[in-house]
Every structure is written in structure tokens, then in C-alpha cells.
DNA sequence: ACAAAAGTGTTGACTTTACACCCATGT
DNA sequence: ACATGGGTGTAAAGTCAACACTTTTGT
């Protein structure tokens, strides 16, 4: 059918969409998995050993199974490299479907953002590494763009949600937490103010315990935990909020 | 392959993802197209005339073409109902792929958010209508959830981007604009403060012209326009911003 | 005693809502 | 004149970064 035949379409066109079977494309699910390691935001990537993009680095993931949901699929596939219980957060990012994004054939890809809390060290295959995001190696396909989307999403959500729970271990001191925030945001975060902001927003609470000071002295640090372990919007935008009346 | 064979996967598993052709699923692209009509946020929907979901209302869209990008596809398909030049904004929302979202066969759907400026009235087919979002009719498949996602996305972006340019006509008075914001946000927006906020952020500017007052008198209203007609983040979150130093 | 690290108090800048008041126009 | 709607001034509330100061520990 000629898409210029708008007049005809205007009367009858809308109904034919769910008929026929149409072309089917391969669909894969990928994940940008972040973890903060040694005070740096790192992403889990593996090195491709064969074309296309041989030698470049790629995001983990793979083909969507015939009877799987999208989130279900990426969880399953990540379980082959990251202990699935270690994924503290998972959310969908974007779907890319440029006809030529994969030179070997039309493939759509849905990317997810996954987070692993700091402090654990999942066993990963030999071709797989955690790489610091600021020094991203040459990436296959459009995977670099996906890492960029994930980084922007994480930064934004750190500002108005409790997503820090997914970066931090179950308990932490404020100076540790401020280092996680610094790594993820890319700029300094003062522990003293971060404490007040997150306390006022009800995101964190004191555990009552504290950590002995190190060999160089200093006051012992109080331990905190996040009050919730799932995503919550704690601060709607400070702008254009509804009238208080 | 058994996915419990983690040990094996850890050494060799990562490389087999781009081999083989795997199952292919049908893929469709849908759009949640919003327009503000008579001070109400409306969404473009059409009534299904055949199963599945016969009689329910559905979002416009359809199968992804074999050589089309996703955004390209929804633009083409919307051109059959909305004059494509009238789409002032288009962005990807989410992809849904529950195995049973379409009872007639596995279908993935990528949803877009589209906006049409107020004041125009595109010709639409007979089975297609603009329906107020607060009184959404019974929707087919998971389309109601997509409308919900779109509404949340629009509300959020009104707070920190210039996305108002896509809701408003090229020129407008502040009381008109405040009605568009009220319809989209769902709560009152005072024209007097909206003016200052958007001016300070550099989103809008005066055209220099004004509109004569109506039959009931009143001071003539100044005409404004948006300075940019593409999406810009005008106000990074007021929280956790980088140190000024 | 002194250094080091954690935590508190306080200030100032900025942003936004609320509301009283002034302005320009039609009847 | 007066009603009507547009526009300005200003106050009050809230949030956050900056920084000086205090507390608690190890050497």
C-alpha cells in the first residue's frame, strides 16, 4: 500500500494493524550493569571474540527467549555472570532498532539499567571485566550510547529518588556513602550535607551501631541503612508543585 | 542448554550470544499522542472492530517495517491519522513484551510519547477519537498502562524541561499557557508565577505583540513564544547540584 | 597534647508559591 | 465609573551548599 493514500486510510486504515503476521525481527535484551568499585563507577562488559565487532567490548545480554518477559530475560541472562541476588535494582532504559545497528541482520535491542551494591565481588567469566565508565573501552554496536543513557538515568535518579540504596551495601558510614555518590554523580558530595538531605527526606536511618575509628584516629562513624530497598520518589520536583492549599 | 550450568557458562558462555538466529517475535510501535483540547489533556485512540479486544480502544501504531527505525516507523504510521508536521515532539517511552500481552501471538510493543500543539484539529478517521485522559475508555491490551507512563513522563518533563513548547501553539498569552499546564499537570498553575518561572529559565520570550481584550474588557494580554522548539533541560534538579566552586 | 575523622550549628543564596496591589481596556 | 482580566511587587517558606566549630577517638 502506498502511504500517500491518506484519504483512503483516513476511513479504513486503522483496523488492519493487528491482522497478518508481518515481518519478525530478532530481539535481544542487554544490561548496563553498574557497580562502584574502589570509588569508581564501573560497568560490566565482555570482549567479543568473533565478528561482528570482534575485539570490541559489549554489554552482557542476549536473545529474548520465546516465552520470557523482557525483565525476566535479562535477569536470567545476567544470572550466568552476576549472582542474581546481587542485582539490587533493575529498570528498563530504552530500545534501539536502527535497521543497520547490527551488520549481520536486523536486531532490536532493549537495554536495561542494573545496579550491584558496592562491596561484593561476583565471579565473572574470563572474558568479562568491570571497566570504569569514564574510561570506556571501544564498544561494539551502539552499546556506548546505552552506557551513556544509563549514566544519565542514574545521575538523575540519585537526585530525586532513593536509588542510592542500590549502590550502597546494607550498612554504611556517611563518608562511604558520599564516596559512592561522588563516583556516580561525577562531582564532590559533602558527607555532612548528604547526611542531612537524606535524613530529612527519610531515605536513610541510623542503625545505632558505629564503626571503630582507624589507626589514624578520629571519631567513630555511625552506621546508616536505607529505609527502603526498592525505588521510591522521595522528592518530587521542587518546581511547579501543586498549591499547598 | 541448561541454564543451571553456571560453571560452564562462566568460562565460555558469553560468546555465544550473537550466533544462531534464535526465535523472532513480531514487533509493533505504538504512540500515546496527547493534545490539549478545550483545556483537557486528550489522547488519540481508535476503537477496535475485531478480536482480540474487540470493542475496546487502542493506541495508534502498527507493525514495524522491515527496514525502518522505530521512531521513523511511528512517524510514518501516525502520518496516516495526524498530519506529521503537527507532531511537535516525539520520544520513546517503554517497550512491553509480556509473553501473553497479545493473546493471538507473541508481540513486543515499543511505545512512544507524541505531542500535538493545542489549537489545531487534524483530520482523523471515523473510528478514531480524542479522549480526555482522566476518563479513559476501556483500553485494549496493556495500552492503558502506556497512557499512564506517558502522562507521568509528560508531567515530570514539564517541571524541568521546556516541553511546554510542544503543547502550546507558536504564540500564546500567559493565561492560555497556564491552562495548558493545568490540563497537563492536573493541578492549578498561576499564570502570574508561571510567567516569571519560564522567563527566568529562558524558556519563553515576549513577541512584542498583544491580543486585544475581549468583550468583557480587561487589559490586553501580551503574546509570548517559546525560544526553542526542541527539548532542552532548562533546570537541572535543584538538589544535589555540583558545588559552585 | 595533638592530629584525624565525624558530626552540629549557622549563614547565605536561591527558588518558588501566595497574595496584595497596580494597569489597561470595554461597557 | 466600574468591572474584568493582565501584570508587578513583595513577603514567606523551603531547600541546599559552604564553612566554622564541636565531639570523639588514636597515638
Amino acid at each position: 500500500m502506498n502511504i500517500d493514500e491518506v484519504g483512503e486510510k483516513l476511513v479504513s486504515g486503522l483496523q488492519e494493524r493487528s491482522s497478518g503476521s508481518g515481518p519478525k525481527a530478532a530481539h535481544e535484551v542487554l544490561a548496563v550493569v553498574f557497580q562502584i568499585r574502589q570509588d569508581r563507577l564501573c560497568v560490566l562488559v565482555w570482549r567479543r571474540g568473533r565478528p561482528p565487532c570482534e575485539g570490541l567490548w559489549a554489554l552482557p545480554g542476549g536473545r529474548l527467549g520465546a516465552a520470557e518477559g523482557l525483565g525476566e530475560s535479562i535477569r536470567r541472562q545476567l544470572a550466568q555472570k552476576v549472582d542474581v541476588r546481587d542485582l539490587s535494582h533493575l529498570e528498563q532504559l530504552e530500545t534501539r532498532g536502527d535497521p543497520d545497528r547490527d551488520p549481520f541482520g536486523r536486531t532490536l535491542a532493549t537495554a536495561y539499567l542494573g545496579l550491584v551494591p558496592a562491596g561484593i565481588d561476583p565471579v565473572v567469566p574470563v572474558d568479562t571485566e568491570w571497566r570504569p565508565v569514564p574510561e570506556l573501552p571501544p564498544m561494539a554496536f551502539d552499546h556506548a550510547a546505552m552506557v551513556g543513557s544509563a549514566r544519565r538515568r542514574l545521575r538523575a535518579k540519585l537526585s530525586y529518588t532513593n536509588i542510592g540504596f542500590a549502590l550502597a551495601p546494607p550498612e554504611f558510614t556517611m563518608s562511604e556513602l558520599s564516596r559512592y555518590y561522588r563516583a556516580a554523580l561525577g562531582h564532590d558530595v559533602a558527607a555532612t550535607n548528604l547526611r542531612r538531605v537524606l535524613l530529612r527526606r527519610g531515605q536513610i536511618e541510623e542503625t545505632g551501631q558505629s564503626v571503630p575509628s582507624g589507626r589514624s584516629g578520629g571519631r567513630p562513624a555511625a552506621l546508616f541503612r536505607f529505609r527502603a530497598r526498592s525505588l521510591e520518589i522521595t522528592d518530587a520536583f521542587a518546581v511547579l508543585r501543586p498549591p499547598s492549599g
Side-chain angles (χ1 to χ4, degrees), chain A:
Chain A
M1 166 171 329
N2 189 328
I3 59 171
D4 291 322
E5 294 171 333
V6 177
E8 242 241 325
K9 300 288 303 179
L10 285 177
V11 188
S12 65
L14 290 177
Q15 312 229 353
E16 16 192 323
R17 273 185 249 94
S18 285
S19 57
S21 55
K24 302 193 176 186
H27 200 101
E28 62 182 7
V29 191
L30 304 170
V32 181
V33 181
F34 285 147
Q35 186 191 26
I36 292 173
R37 328 186 102 226
Q38 284 134 355
D39 295 340
R40 319 218 310 167
L41 182 67
C42 296
V43 60
L44 188 65
V45 290
W46 62 283
R47 191 167 176 281
R48 291 183 61 86
R50 68 180 76 172
C53 301
E54 183 171 359
L56 301 185
W57 294 79
L59 295 174
R63 287 250 148 64
L64 175 66
E68 282 179 320
L70 290 164
E72 189 183 345
S73 178
I74 192 62
R75 277 207 138 86
R76 171 183 65 77
Q77 304 200 48
L78 286 177
Q80 300 169 351
K81 324 165 192 53
V82 184
D83 192 340
V84 76
R85 286 161 309 208
D86 297 341
L87 258 192
S88 45
H89 179 68
L90 186 68
E91 70 178 55
Q92 197 185 99
L93 264 184
E94 64 186 6
T95 299
R96 295 193 165 243
D98 268 12
D100 54 355
R101 62 176 291 278
D102 184 340
F104 275 29
R106 182 76 194 266
T107 308
L108 300 179
T110 297
Y112 275 74
L113 163 64
L115 298 177
V116 173
I120 64 178
D121 194 13
V123 181
V124 298
V126 291
D127 59 0
T128 303
E129 293 177 19
W130 293 97
R131 289 301 196 93
V133 171
E135 305 149 25
L136 212 57
M139 298 289 286
F141 309 109
D142 46 11
H143 294 194
M146 292 172 176
V147 175
S149 296
R151 194 168 176 5
R152 283 188 297 274
R153 175 79 61 95
L154 175 61
R155 282 220 293 205
K157 291 216 163 174
L158 276 170
S159 283
Y160 68 97
T161 73
N162 65 343
I163 203 170
F165 81 86
L167 293 177
E171 303 194 341
F172 46 84
T173 67
M174 286 313 300
S175 58
E176 282 163 15
L177 189 64
S178 75
R179 287 201 301 274
Y180 304 144
Y181 272 70
R182 170 166 38 241
L185 289 172
H187 63 74
D188 257 6
V189 177
T192 174
N193 287 330
L194 184 65
R195 172 202 185 100
R196 267 185 289 225
V197 169
L198 297 188
L199 276 175
R200 192 177 49 71
R201 293 183 178 178
Q203 285 192 25
I204 60 173
E205 64 189 2
E206 275 189 88
T207 67
Q209 297 178 319
S210 60
V211 168
S213 47
R215 42 195 154 287
S216 63
R219 176 168 167 173
L223 278 176
F224 290 80
R225 71 169 85 89
F226 277 89
R227 290 166 69 109
R229 303 203 63 79
S230 60
L231 193 68
E232 296 176 359
I233 294 178
T234 59
D235 227 52
F237 303 109
V239 295
L240 295 175
R241 57 170 166 263
S244 52

